[in-house]
Amino acid sequence: YYTGENIDDLLKAGAEVGNIIANMQTEPKYVLEHFEQLNANGANLAIEDVVAAMDPIDVLYSLTEAMKFGANIDVNDLLDSPEVNKVWVHKIDEMLALGADPQKIADKISPDEVGYTNGRWDRYGYSSRDAFNKKYPEIYKLAYDRVRSEVVAMAA
């Protein structure tokens, strides 16, 4: 993170772009975050290589940015990955715009997004849950029904 945030200063101080990338490769999401800047300074990175090195959950979070640079990503394949264990509600528009299946999104929504927190249904944490329900009622219902059936199955 800190290497990525200081690329210009590192280059001005004489660091080679290859060494900067080497220090960022343990977290390829930061390479993607600074992809354009690194390539502008001679990195010659291929977007497919950067995306291939990333965790699927980081790719899901950075879909639009990766695709802006030409990455070929199937959002539904990504949602099928067992490594993707959550979907952020604020990323739903982006996923739907890229052709994501609403059911696949709902399958990855965290139980607390539909009101099930710490082993019980929360009747008072309305604001984010209500906003989610109003904006994406179909996905909310699918996620709620999934969580409800999981809770019933655990109780049985």
Side-chain angles (χ1 to χ4, degrees), residues 56-57 59-60 63 73-81 84 108:
I57 200 155
V59 175
L60 183 64
L63 275 173
I73 301 168
D74 184 317
V75 67
N76 288 306
D77 287 347
L78 204 51
L79 287 167
D80 286 338
S81 171
V84 173
K108 302 290 179 148

Side-chain angles (χ1 to χ4, degrees), residues 18-146:
N19 288 337
I20 293 171
I21 294 168
N23 281 292
M24 295 173 71
Q25 284 180 332
T26 58
E27 289 287 340
K29 64 185 175 186
Y30 297 124
V31 175
L32 175 62
E33 189 175 311
H34 300 284
F35 183 82
E36 200 167 41
Q37 182 182 20
L38 290 166
N39 275 344
N41 285 288
N44 203 21
L45 296 167
I47 190 61
E48 295 299 336
D49 294 338
V50 173
V51 170
M54 293 172 66
D55 290 330
I57 200 155
D58 289 337
V59 175
L60 183 64
Y61 194 84
S62 304
L63 275 173
T64 301
E65 186 170 294
M67 293 178 92
K68 174 179 82 173
F69 296 122
N72 184 17
I73 301 168
D74 184 317
V75 67
N76 288 306
D77 287 347
L78 204 51
L79 287 167
D80 286 338
S81 171
E83 293 178 59
V84 173
N85 60 1
K86 66 179 174 181
V87 166
W88 301 270
V89 172
H90 72 279
K91 292 288 190 171
I92 292 176
D93 280 340
E94 182 178 336
M95 289 182 280
L96 290 172
L98 295 171
D101 179 344
Q103 180 65 59
K104 290 182 182 198
I105 294 171
D107 288 346
K108 302 290 179 148
I109 294 288
S110 173
D112 63 340
E113 296 284 1
V114 295
Y116 190 76
T117 309
N118 297 324
R120 66 175 214 255
W121 291 100
D122 178 14
R123 301 197 189 295
Y124 303 105
Y126 297 121
S127 62
S128 65
R129 182 175 67 227
D130 287 349
F132 173 30
N133 189 11
K134 284 179 184 174
K135 189 165 184 179
Y136 311 102
E138 176 189 349
I139 295 172
Y140 179 88
K141 181 174 179 358
L142 291 168
Y144 180 86
D145 290 347
R146 184 202 90 232

